[in-house]
Amino acid sequence: MQAVDPSTVDRTSWEAAVRHLYEDAFTFVATGPRTQEDWWADALAVMERAVPDPRGWAGLDDTANERTTEVPAFPFRPPFKADPQRRLTPADVGERLRQIDRASAENLLLALTDGGCNLRNLGRFTESFEELQDMARTLLARYGDAFTCHTNVTVGARKDGTLDFGASHWGYTPMTFYGEDAGLVVVSDTEIGLFWTFDDI
């Protein structure tokens, strides 16, 4: 696995990778500051659009117009066992995520380019798989060399922290009001990045 040197990633290259990979997806891509050890609370702040991108870089938010004062984190919601109208809590976020390795995170970023969360989504791109992988690595390189990755994707998830994208189907722990959702949370010492794709089936 050939990582991208974090020092070579700037606003132009990162925003270009976000736009190119997710321009046809129904998606939420945003980064906020990490301010405390309990990063679940920082991830929630990003979901609620309560914090700006620390670097002023642009993400994507296809659901911004649907959020309300009562549900500021829309489309993210509490677990289905909970009252859907109660405010989301940091524990709600953390209990539905599991850690995965960097290689799985790279592939997940590519699977998130459309609904269904699989690498067959890449068929619409003209670039090679290796070129698309470089874009995913550019996205991750923003967060430095020491970061962790977490997802709500469950099918194909192995106990060693890897995701098997050769699985015949996919599954996830629901995080939103939509019929399908899959995402990645990237946690560094200073930033929290969220990459999420939805499908209103």
Side-chain angles (χ1 to χ4, degrees), residues 24-35:
D24 291 337
F26 184 33
T27 191
F28 176 80
V29 176
T31 298
R34 182 176 181 184
T35 63

Side-chain angles (χ1 to χ4, degrees), residues 157-194:
R158 298 169 172 164
K159 291 183 179 179
D160 63 356
T162 64
L163 293 178
D164 176 13
F165 286 92
S168 59
H169 64 289
W170 75 286
Y172 59 98
T173 302
M175 294 282 289
T176 74
F177 286 96
Y178 291 108
E180 287 184 355
D181 71 82
L184 176 70
V185 180
V186 184
V187 182
S188 76
D189 288 341
T190 58
E191 295 183 318
I192 303 284
L194 272 70

Side-chain angles (χ1 to χ4, degrees), residues 2-151:
Q2 183 64 46
V4 172
D5 181 352
S7 68
T8 67
V9 176
D10 58 12
R11 178 176 190 158
T12 300
S13 61
W14 193 84
E15 290 182 355
V18 167
R19 284 193 307 272
H20 187 70
L21 289 174
Y22 303 110
E23 63 183 351
D24 291 337
F26 184 33
T27 191
F28 176 80
V29 176
T31 298
R34 182 176 181 184
T35 63
Q36 50 195 301
E37 187 66 25
D38 175 14
W39 59 263
W40 298 349
D42 291 320
L44 177 56
V46 177
M47 293 174 177
E48 293 185 339
R49 291 80 161 177
V51 291
D53 185 296
R55 307 183 197 200
W57 296 4
L60 295 170
D61 188 354
D62 292 331
T63 64
N65 293 335
E66 299 184 61
R67 62 190 292 262
T68 65
T69 302
E70 293 74 24
V71 190
F74 186 92
F76 300 96
R77 57 157 288 160
F80 281 117
K81 63 186 177 184
D83 175 0
Q85 296 306 313
R86 81 160 165 79
R87 291 289 289 267
L88 199 61
T89 68
D92 291 332
V93 175
E95 72 181 23
R96 292 175 286 172
L97 298 172
R98 60 181 300 278
Q99 189 167 339
I100 57 172
D101 65 13
R102 187 174 301 200
S104 295
E106 287 178 8
N107 283 331
L108 181 56
L109 285 171
L110 299 180
L112 294 175
T113 55
D114 208 344
C117 192
N118 63 70
L119 295 178
R120 292 187 300 277
N121 289 336
L122 304 182
R124 65 183 174 82
F125 292 100
T126 59
E127 292 86 359
S128 68
F129 181 70
E130 290 72 23
E131 290 171 317
L132 295 169
Q133 272 189 317
D134 282 343
M135 292 182 199
R137 290 170 183 158
T138 293
L139 295 182
L140 291 176
R142 167 187 176 149
Y143 305 98
D145 292 316
F147 57 79
T148 58
C149 300
H150 310 261
T151 185

